Amino acid sequence: MLTVVALIQAVPGKSAFVQAELEKLAAATRRENGCLQYDLHQDNSDPHRFLFYENWASRELWQAHMASAHLSAYRRATEGALAGTTLWEMSRIS
C-alpha cells in the first residue's frame, strides 16, 4: 500500500474555485482502480490551503491516477489559480 499526502495552496481569492475543482477531482478519483482512500481537507486557519490524504493499493495504480484524464483536466482548470502543490509518497512503518 502507498500513502500519499498532497498539499495544495490556492492563490488568494481563488480558494472557492480551487475547492470546487478539488471536489470534482475527488469524486472521479474515488472511482479509480486501486484508490482505497482519498480524503480532502481544508486548513481551519488558512482557507487557501488544502490537503489530500490518499491510500492506494500500489504505487503503480497511483501513477496511473497521476496520468488520468481527470487529473489532467484539473491541472488545466486550475492553471494560474495555484500558488503551489507538494506531494509526499509515504509508507507505513508502524
Side-chain angles (χ1 to χ4, degrees):
M1 185 172 80
L2 175 71
T3 298
V4 176
V5 178
L7 178 65
I8 300 101
Q9 185 75 33
V11 169
K14 297 288 187 176
S15 62
F17 169 75
V18 170
Q19 179 179 343
E21 291 299 317
L22 290 170
E23 288 172 350
K24 285 193 275 187
L25 177 62
T29 299
R30 287 181 184 126
R31 294 188 295 269
E32 283 186 60
N33 182 35
C35 180
L36 305 174
Q37 181 178 7
Y38 201 77
D39 295 337
L40 176 61
H41 304 270
Q42 186 175 31
D43 190 315
N44 291 334
S45 62
D46 181 355
H48 298 95
R49 186 178 300 142
F50 300 90
L51 182 135
F52 273 118
Y53 182 81
E54 313 171 26
N55 280 303
W56 293 87
S58 71
R59 187 171 193 276
E60 293 74 26
L61 291 168
W62 174 69
Q63 288 178 317
H65 158 70
M66 295 302 288
S68 68
H70 53 270
L71 189 56
S72 294
Y74 158 79
R75 287 183 183 126
R76 285 190 304 276
T78 58
E79 190 173 324
L82 300 180
T85 300
T86 305
L87 297 174
W88 292 279
E89 293 181 50
M90 314 288 287
S91 297
R92 181 182 286 179
I93 58 171
S94 177

